[in-house]
Amino acid sequence: MSNEAPWDSEEVGRHDKHQKETLKYALEVIKLLFVLSGGALATCSAFFSNKPGLAANVLEPARWAWVSLTTAIILFSLALLLILVRDYAIGERWREEVEKGSAWSISIWWDCWAWAAGLTGVVAFWTGMIAFAIAAWVYLGHGSNLSLPSLP
């Protein structure tokens, strides 16, 4: 009886290539969102720091934007950390299998938490960018009827 896996090596190669490409794209998107979030925070800081005495209806959306984009950056960094830890664990367990022949598995929770952090970070990013757009709209005098709940 053969211990061979039911997949041929060509199929495994295609699967591995697909997984590597998917991870590459995901990491690129996370890096892009890092840059955009940081850039938006820097732009807002430069813009609003020169305008003392801004009206509350401008400051509230700006505060929402700062909180949301800072949260997005924290969540994106958490997603990256989880992916790195998971991949390191996979590499170490694979090495043990090669060296000692021990079977191994990796918990699905690493992926679940990385996805949760990343997707929540995307929602926080969207919220922050929308709040910045509202702050700019109100500042330019077009949003007198817009209101957001205030942050504590």
Side-chain angles (χ1 to χ4, degrees), residues 70-89:
T70 301
T71 301
I73 289 172
I74 291 167
L75 289 168
F76 294 148
S77 63
L78 176 62
L80 280 174
L81 179 65
L82 289 169
I83 290 168
L84 288 171
V85 169
R86 181 208 59 197
D87 288 352
Y88 177 79

mmCIF file of all heavy atoms in Angstrom, residues 70-89:
data_model
loop_
_atom_site.group_PDB
_atom_site.id
_atom_site.type_symbol
_atom_site.label_atom_id
_atom_site.label_comp_id
_atom_site.label_asym_id
_atom_site.label_seq_id
_atom_site.Cartn_x
_atom_site.Cartn_y
_atom_site.Cartn_z
ATOM 1 N N THR A 70 -6.100 55.738 13.111
ATOM 2 C CA THR A 70 -5.134 55.178 14.061
ATOM 3 C C THR A 70 -5.509 53.735 14.385
ATOM 4 O O THR A 70 -4.643 52.851 14.436
ATOM 5 C CB THR A 70 -5.071 56.033 15.342
ATOM 6 O OG1 THR A 70 -4.699 57.365 14.979
ATOM 7 C CG2 THR A 70 -4.079 55.470 16.327
ATOM 8 N N THR A 71 -6.793 53.484 14.576
ATOM 9 C CA THR A 71 -7.263 52.112 14.813
ATOM 10 C C THR A 71 -6.942 51.222 13.618
ATOM 11 O O THR A 71 -6.508 50.073 13.788
ATOM 12 C CB THR A 71 -8.778 52.117 15.089
ATOM 13 O OG1 THR A 71 -9.035 52.926 16.235
ATOM 14 C CG2 THR A 71 -9.307 50.711 15.321
ATOM 15 N N ALA A 72 -7.125 51.743 12.412
ATOM 16 C CA ALA A 72 -6.823 50.969 11.199
ATOM 17 C C ALA A 72 -5.350 50.587 11.163
ATOM 18 O O ALA A 72 -5.010 49.430 10.874
ATOM 19 C CB ALA A 72 -7.201 51.761 9.954
ATOM 20 N N ILE A 73 -4.473 51.523 11.470
ATOM 21 C CA ILE A 73 -3.036 51.233 11.455
ATOM 22 C C ILE A 73 -2.699 50.159 12.486
ATOM 23 O O ILE A 73 -1.937 49.227 12.207
ATOM 24 C CB ILE A 73 -2.229 52.523 11.679
ATOM 25 C CG1 ILE A 73 -2.330 53.417 10.441
ATOM 26 C CG2 ILE A 73 -0.770 52.210 12.008
ATOM 27 C CD1 ILE A 73 -1.734 54.804 10.624
ATOM 28 N N ILE A 74 -3.280 50.249 13.668
ATOM 29 C CA ILE A 74 -3.032 49.242 14.712
ATOM 30 C C ILE A 74 -3.530 47.869 14.248
ATOM 31 O O ILE A 74 -2.839 46.852 14.398
ATOM 32 C CB ILE A 74 -3.685 49.663 16.034
ATOM 33 C CG1 ILE A 74 -2.947 50.876 16.612
ATOM 34 C CG2 ILE A 74 -3.717 48.509 17.036
ATOM 35 C CD1 ILE A 74 -3.669 51.568 17.745
ATOM 36 N N LEU A 75 -4.721 47.824 13.665
ATOM 37 C CA LEU A 75 -5.274 46.544 13.211
ATOM 38 C C LEU A 75 -4.494 45.957 12.039
ATOM 39 O O LEU A 75 -4.297 44.738 11.966
ATOM 40 C CB LEU A 75 -6.748 46.710 12.853
ATOM 41 C CG LEU A 75 -7.672 46.919 14.054
ATOM 42 C CD1 LEU A 75 -9.054 47.363 13.601
ATOM 43 C CD2 LEU A 75 -7.756 45.652 14.895
ATOM 44 N N PHE A 76 -4.030 46.814 11.117
ATOM 45 C CA PHE A 76 -3.214 46.307 10.011
ATOM 46 C C PHE A 76 -1.900 45.731 10.534
ATOM 47 O O PHE A 76 -1.434 44.693 10.054
ATOM 48 C CB PHE A 76 -2.931 47.408 8.984
ATOM 49 C CG PHE A 76 -4.146 47.895 8.252
ATOM 50 C CD1 PHE A 76 -4.229 49.207 7.835
ATOM 51 C CD2 PHE A 76 -5.210 47.052 7.973
ATOM 52 C CE1 PHE A 76 -5.354 49.675 7.158
ATOM 53 C CE2 PHE A 76 -6.338 47.504 7.294
ATOM 54 C CZ PHE A 76 -6.401 48.820 6.890
ATOM 55 N N SER A 77 -1.305 46.395 11.519
ATOM 56 C CA SER A 77 -0.050 45.870 12.067
ATOM 57 C C SER A 77 -0.307 44.559 12.806
ATOM 58 O O SER A 77 0.514 43.641 12.757
ATOM 59 C CB SER A 77 0.642 46.898 12.967
ATOM 60 O OG SER A 77 -0.156 47.206 14.080
ATOM 61 N N LEU A 78 -1.454 44.435 13.471
ATOM 62 C CA LEU A 78 -1.809 43.176 14.130
ATOM 63 C C LEU A 78 -1.989 42.061 13.100
ATOM 64 O O LEU A 78 -1.508 40.938 13.301
ATOM 65 C CB LEU A 78 -3.083 43.347 14.960
ATOM 66 C CG LEU A 78 -3.624 42.079 15.623
ATOM 67 C CD1 LEU A 78 -2.605 41.506 16.610
ATOM 68 C CD2 LEU A 78 -4.944 42.368 16.302
ATOM 69 N N ALA A 79 -2.655 42.365 11.990
ATOM 70 C CA ALA A 79 -2.847 41.359 10.930
ATOM 71 C C ALA A 79 -1.501 40.899 10.387
ATOM 72 O O ALA A 79 -1.272 39.697 10.209
ATOM 73 C CB ALA A 79 -3.720 41.917 9.812
ATOM 74 N N LEU A 80 -0.597 41.845 10.133
ATOM 75 C CA LEU A 80 0.739 41.473 9.649
ATOM 76 C C LEU A 80 1.490 40.614 10.663
ATOM 77 O O LEU A 80 2.139 39.626 10.309
ATOM 78 C CB LEU A 80 1.557 42.726 9.333
ATOM 79 C CG LEU A 80 1.282 43.397 8.008
ATOM 80 C CD1 LEU A 80 2.071 44.699 7.899
ATOM 81 C CD2 LEU A 80 1.632 42.485 6.854
ATOM 82 N N LEU A 81 1.411 40.997 11.940
ATOM 83 C CA LEU A 81 2.088 40.227 12.984
ATOM 84 C C LEU A 81 1.537 38.807 13.052
ATOM 85 O O LEU A 81 2.305 37.844 13.144
ATOM 86 C CB LEU A 81 1.935 40.938 14.328
ATOM 87 C CG LEU A 81 2.573 40.230 15.520
ATOM 88 C CD1 LEU A 81 4.095 40.190 15.350
ATOM 89 C CD2 LEU A 81 2.201 40.922 16.809
ATOM 90 N N LEU A 82 0.229 38.664 12.993
ATOM 91 C CA LEU A 82 -0.369 37.330 13.029
ATOM 92 C C LEU A 82 0.061 36.482 11.838
ATOM 93 O O LEU A 82 0.334 35.285 11.983
ATOM 94 C CB LEU A 82 -1.899 37.444 13.084
ATOM 95 C CG LEU A 82 -2.470 37.942 14.405
ATOM 96 C CD1 LEU A 82 -3.947 38.277 14.245
ATOM 97 C CD2 LEU A 82 -2.256 36.926 15.507
ATOM 98 N N ILE A 83 0.140 37.085 10.666
ATOM 99 C CA ILE A 83 0.578 36.355 9.476
ATOM 100 C C ILE A 83 2.036 35.925 9.627
ATOM 101 O O ILE A 83 2.388 34.779 9.311
ATOM 102 C CB ILE A 83 0.378 37.213 8.209
ATOM 103 C CG1 ILE A 83 -1.115 37.367 7.912
ATOM 104 C CG2 ILE A 83 1.091 36.605 7.005
ATOM 105 C CD1 ILE A 83 -1.432 38.422 6.865
ATOM 106 N N LEU A 84 2.874 36.805 10.133
ATOM 107 C CA LEU A 84 4.293 36.458 10.327
ATOM 108 C C LEU A 84 4.467 35.336 11.349
ATOM 109 O O LEU A 84 5.234 34.392 11.124
ATOM 110 C CB LEU A 84 5.081 37.688 10.760
ATOM 111 C CG LEU A 84 5.315 38.741 9.686
ATOM 112 C CD1 LEU A 84 5.913 39.999 10.301
ATOM 113 C CD2 LEU A 84 6.222 38.203 8.598
ATOM 114 N N VAL A 85 3.755 35.423 12.464
ATOM 115 C CA VAL A 85 3.859 34.388 13.500
ATOM 116 C C VAL A 85 3.353 33.060 12.962
ATOM 117 O O VAL A 85 3.976 32.011 13.169
ATOM 118 C CB VAL A 85 3.098 34.814 14.775
ATOM 119 C CG1 VAL A 85 2.971 33.657 15.757
ATOM 120 C CG2 VAL A 85 3.794 35.991 15.441
ATOM 121 N N ARG A 86 2.231 33.090 12.255
ATOM 122 C CA ARG A 86 1.690 31.856 11.679
ATOM 123 C C ARG A 86 2.684 31.221 10.703
ATOM 124 O O ARG A 86 2.953 30.026 10.751
ATOM 125 C CB ARG A 86 0.375 32.152 10.959
ATOM 126 C CG ARG A 86 -0.255 30.892 10.363
ATOM 127 C CD ARG A 86 -1.099 31.174 9.166
ATOM 128 N NE ARG A 86 -0.309 31.821 8.124
ATOM 129 C CZ ARG A 86 -0.838 32.473 7.108
ATOM 130 N NH1 ARG A 86 -2.133 32.598 7.009
ATOM 131 N NH2 ARG A 86 -0.078 33.015 6.181
ATOM 132 N N ASP A 87 3.246 32.034 9.807
ATOM 133 C CA ASP A 87 4.187 31.501 8.824
ATOM 134 C C ASP A 87 5.460 30.978 9.475
ATOM 135 O O ASP A 87 6.017 29.973 9.042
ATOM 136 C CB ASP A 87 4.514 32.554 7.766
ATOM 137 C CG ASP A 87 3.348 32.804 6.825
ATOM 138 O OD1 ASP A 87 2.347 32.051 6.902
ATOM 139 O OD2 ASP A 87 3.422 33.754 6.030
ATOM 140 N N TYR A 88 5.930 31.647 10.533
ATOM 141 C CA TYR A 88 7.099 31.151 11.266
ATOM 142 C C TYR A 88 6.779 29.797 11.899
ATOM 143 O O TYR A 88 7.573 28.860 11.819
ATOM 144 C CB TYR A 88 7.530 32.154 12.335
ATOM 145 C CG TYR A 88 8.683 31.657 13.154
ATOM 146 C CD1 TYR A 88 9.982 31.712 12.648
ATOM 147 C CD2 TYR A 88 8.486 31.103 14.402
ATOM 148 C CE1 TYR A 88 11.048 31.233 13.388
ATOM 149 C CE2 TYR A 88 9.542 30.628 15.147
ATOM 150 C CZ TYR A 88 10.815 30.690 14.639
ATOM 151 O OH TYR A 88 11.862 30.211 15.377
ATOM 152 N N ALA A 89 5.601 29.692 12.519
ATOM 153 C CA ALA A 89 5.199 28.431 13.148
ATOM 154 C C ALA A 89 5.090 27.313 12.114
ATOM 155 O O ALA A 89 5.521 26.179 12.362
ATOM 156 C CB ALA A 89 3.876 28.605 13.890
#
